[in-house]
Each structure stands twice: as structure tokens, then as C-alpha cells.
Amino acid sequence: MVSLGCTLPQFLREQSQEGEGELAALLTQIATASQIVSREMRRSKPAKLSGLTGEVNVQGEAVTKLDHFANSVFVQAITECRLVCHIASEEMEEVVRVTGDCSSRKYSVLLDPLDGSSNADINGVVGTIFSIHRHREGMGHETSREAEILKRGSDQVAAGYVMYGPGTVLVYSAGKGVNGFTLHPEVNEFIFSHQNVRMPDRGTTYAINHGNRIHWSSSTEKLVDHFSQKDESTRRPYSQRWVGSLTADFHRILLEGGLYLYPKDHKRPDGKLRLLYECAPLAFIARQAGGRATTGMEDILDIEPTQLHQRVPLIIGSREDVDTAERFYQDEVVGKEKSKEK
Ligand code: FBP
């Protein structure tokens, strides 16, 4: 039985069962990459890693120097461990097939190397989100790179995130609960700090970008009104929180409960966030901690992906709060169908 205070490698060694040693090695490698990123973040301002590269990524977003740096560190670390056949990243247009023989490599990794990177230059919280799938044997041909990576969230073998804030925290699940580790700045080791995290069934906060209000659907309007109304039995009105950095907003909800929403709206009919390396890994962690994630109509973990950089609406958090939100979105559809029948 591992106890709080041990290091991440010790934890992985003691928790891993037969056949899981390679997954432990991959997680250790991801953690090492995040330690490098964390160190550079601390010394990047006002040095060479602040500001933009001048490039625009596949999402049409300006690439910061830190985005670029974080992507290279993670891709290199994941490539070097020789356990991964395919890597996909928010910062890379296409899936990369790692050079060399893939036949004995068990995994594919998808990641957002630096989520919320616009916060980095103002000393705000940013994060790395990662998703690990089992590599399908015989699927390593050039033509099938995307097929290799387009898998449902429920098929993930592990997922996690690293939050670079006042402290650096790594949270992951390999399908047996959720555990968290805090980077000790002096010994530069992740120390086991959050054991078997359970998300409260209901929270007292909701997180949404109110600046998008003019674009919201009527169900989002009604839902936000609902959270703003007084009801002692459900501890409403809820407080509004918005860091504008998904890992930070999610981390708060994981520990304290509540709801995060980036719904579809009239400006973004598919939402903003990416299914494979933002929504699905966090949905996996939410479910492992007793929470849920939905688009409003479908569980995030059940979506069959069609594109690498696919966007989906995301409503994630405490089980009862997500159930409530889902009812608002589903009622709108039922209402529309009924009015068509008339
Ligand atoms: P990026 O991947 O472009 O950083 O976008 C993701 C994100 O920054 C999330 O971390 C955050 O929750 C959301 O977008 C913020 O969106 P908005 O710009 O509408 O506040």
C-alpha cells in the first residue's frame, strides 16, 4: 500500500500490476517532460520564451513560444521512451508516426502541450492535458495514422493533466481511481499528495465565459439563470468562476465540485474545445472521480471521433450538476421537435 508523500516513480512501481510496467514508464516520461516545462515556465519571463512565435497553429490560433517549446519537449520525451507508435498534438496538423519498428510499441499519445497558453505571459495558470490509448496491432501504416488515433474516450487506458500554477500538480488516472502529485520545487520530484480523489456529487460554482452571452443558445441562457436563482435545498445561487484555463477550472471542480461549460453557441456551433486531447482525457478523469462530462446530448466518452482536431461542446463536473445541465439542453431539443409536429 503506497502512502502519501512517496514519489511518483515509487507510486507507479508499487501500483503497477503485471503487464503495466510500460505504462508506468510512459507516465514517468510524461512527468519528466512536464518538469522541464515547469522549470522553463518559472524562468521564461521576461526571457526568451515569452510572447508569440509569429506562427498560427492548425486551429488558427497564434502560437506562443511556450506552446512551441512545450510541444517539442513532450514529443521528444514521448518519442525517446520507445513505447509509443503515434503522437498527436494540438500544435501539429497531422499525427506523427514515430520512426522505427512499431510492432512492439503498445501506446499512442494525444496531447495539448500547453492549454490556456494565452495566460502564460500574465503569470496565469496553464496546463498540459494528455490521453493514452493502446496502439492497435497492424495499424501502423502511413495511411492509417488518423484511424489509429480516432478512438472513443472510453477506450483510453490512461489520461491526465499537469497544472502549472503557484505549484505544479500532476493528476492522472489509469482506470483505477484518480491520484494527484505535487512537484516539490527543491527536490524536483512529484510527491503523492492527492489520494483517490472523489469529485463531490454537487458543487456551488459554475464556470462559463459570460463574454459569449450574446451568442448563447436559449438553453445555455436558461441554465445560467437557473444557477443564479435562489434555492436553499441546492445551495443556489452558485458563484461564478472563470480562470480561462481549462486545467485550472477543471482542477478546482475535481476537488470542490461544480460545473465547467464551453457549450456550442451561435458563433461556435461545435463548441471551442478539442475532443481528443482536451475533452476526452478530462472526461475520463471526471468519470473515474465520480463526475461526468457531456456535450449536452451525448456522453463525451461515447463519441466516435471523425477528425483529429474535432471540437465538441463540453459540460463537465459534478454528476448532479451535469445531469441538471443536460436536462436543459435535452428539453430544448424536445421542445423544438414538438413545435415542428404542430
Ligand atoms: P486553447 O487551447 O486555445 O488555449 O483554448 C483552450 C482554452 O484556453 C481553455 O483552456 C479555456 O477554458 C478556454 O479556452 C478559454 O476560452 P475563452 O477564450 O473563451 O475564455
Side-chain angles (χ1 to χ4, degrees), residues 256-267:
E256 296 183 348
L259 194 68
Y260 171 100
L261 301 106
Y262 216 114
K264 65 177 183 180
D265 60 28
H266 300 308
K267 189 171 155 208

Side-chain angles (χ1 to χ4, degrees), residues 64-104:
T64 67
K65 290 182 191 164
L66 267 170
D67 278 323
H68 188 77
F69 173 77
N71 191 56
S72 352
V73 170
F74 277 100
V75 169
Q76 188 179 345
I78 292 165
T79 304
E80 278 173 0
C81 72
R82 294 170 191 269
L83 299 166
V84 170
C85 190
H86 291 94
I87 307 174
S89 158
E90 182 187 12
E91 299 305 327
M92 304 189 304
E93 188 158 2
E94 288 176 6
V95 178
V96 168
R97 183 178 186 275
V98 175
T99 49
D101 179 17
C102 258
S103 56
S104 61

Side-chain angles (χ1 to χ4, degrees), residues 61 90 112 115-117 209 242 244-246 260 262 272-274 278:
E61 296 153 350
E90 182 187 12
D112 183 350
D115 183 69
S117 54
N209 182 350
W242 185 250
S245 184
L246 179 57
Y260 171 100
Y262 216 114
K272 176 181 184 191
L273 302 172
R274 276 50 60 122
E278 292 178 327

